[in-house]
Amino acid sequence: RRLACGDVEGRLEALFGRVRAIQGKSGRFDMLLCVGDFFGSTSETDWAEYRTGAKKAPIPTYVLGANDQGALRYFPDVSGCELAENITYLGRRGLYSGTSGLQIAYLSGTEAQDEPAPAYSFSAKDVTELKTSLLSTPNFRGVDILLTSPWPRDVGTFGNSAGEIDTKKCGSKLVADLAASLKPRYHFAALEKAYYERLPYRNHTVLQETPQHVSRFIALADVGNTSKKKYLYAFSIVPMSLMDPAELVKQPQDVTENPYKKLWKEAQKSKAPLCAEEETACQFFFDLNKHQGKKRPSEGKERGNSQPKQAKKPPQPTGPCWFCLASPEVEKHLVVSIGTHCYLALAKGGLLPDHVLILPIGHYQSVVDLSSEVVEEVAKYKAALKEFFRSKGKRYVLFERNYRSQHLQLQVVPVPLDHCSAEDIKESFISQAQEQQIELLEIPEHSDIAQVAQPGTPYFYVELDTGEKLFHRIRGRFPLHFGREVLASEALLALPQRADWRQCAAERAEE
């Protein structure tokens, strides 16, 4: 059970009050999805109450990014982040996959009128990259939900009237292109201060193509509008992946032709292959000191072996990834060392100056998903870091949070040997976990995480450089900064002000 909302424009109390009333009457909803302008003219005082935890959203709330220059200050990380308890910024563009399997594609901002696109806008390149990442997924049939702030241009074609809104002039052609390609079962948008629920439309040509599911476009008005236009929409949806195929493609009586039919046909005719740079990203990473696209020679070739062993190709991301080394999104100025399968980078907003991350070059979500070659190289990085930190009078603490993360990040934080023993560190993690009703269990030193967690299982684990491990299987919500909070506590590093990485982020030049 989901709720979708139009432009909030800073009227947080009005929105959350309405949500509480609906839940009191109709029962609990799982999430609230907000499109359009979320902050508007929010006062710093009002927002501070949510940011500091004095007030809290009643259900998990997911929002899109800025639509103008003034709102950019509310969104500290373009890749998405938690803005306040129960309020999460999804990011500039990508795919959010819920634990139930629900797939929500999103695109923040408004269509750019000029190049380069400002930080609050999206360009044709953004849309192309989002489409390419999703359409390349094997057996792609569409997404469950698409969230954009602007309407798609021409959405009213073949459909019911949108009232005073002229859909041939309103909205974004790029959003129309995205909707035509991603075939969302529900598409929500806002910004026009109007409510418009279009008749469902087809995603196939009758008698020529295999039947597909229908799409529903719903535009929502602004919260608390004086005309009492609908700004909150309640709906139930079963993830496409869990539905019976016959049930999924049932066509309602009022279904219409696809409003983007002309655009859709043109796109079908010109399905361009991946460009050379995108193809190479699937096979190898780029040498940061040379031109992008130049292949790093394999060890086999260096040794004169004409047929080097082919490593298993990692799975590809379902949306833009900020940690795949081949991705243009990766912050390469933070990279410290590059191996064959992994690389080492400084942590953004690190707890300490030598807080680092071990990351796979290819796209893997967690340690459990790694191929044997990558596992082997991760172990080499751990051994090298242990030796390095011990030479500096420190021991490392490593942790991984496989929850609401797309790409594996092994956080490695050094702790002075004379300040904390391994036992002190374990006790701090266990005691703080108990306070938050988190069951953190010790597992045998020589056990592999893959032995206690299946691929796709959300979990959190801590590893000391002694080999000792603590593990928690995540079954519901989990505090995103838990690992940092424990290490930053007075019992260990005594840096409570650095528990949230967003408060520690530095300017690029300083990094």
Side-chain angles (χ1 to χ4, degrees), residues 31-34 60-64 86 88 90 96 147 404:
M31 62 169 61
L32 169 63
L33 304 169
C34 297
T61 302
Y62 298 86
V63 308
L64 294 182
N86 258 7
T88 301
L90 286 166
Y96 173 84
L147 305 177
R404 281 174 51 183

Side-chain angles (χ1 to χ4, degrees), residues 65-70 72 78 89 92-93 107-124 126 174:
N67 295 304
D68 57 59
Q69 186 69 36
L72 286 174
V78 294
Y89 164 46
R92 187 170 177 182
R93 64 178 189 273
L107 179 69
S108 289
T110 54
E111 183 173 334
Q113 302 304 310
D114 302 296
E115 290 289 344
Y120 56 85
S121 295
F122 56 83
S123 64
D126 290 309
L174 290 177

Side-chain angles (χ1 to χ4, degrees), residues 45 55 75 112 198 293-294 305 341 369 423 470 498:
T45 306
K55 289 183 179 178
F75 302 93
R198 191 202 184 281
K294 185 167 183 180
N305 184 347
H341 305 290
D369 299 311
E423 203 56 39
L470 301 171
R498 300 190 70 83

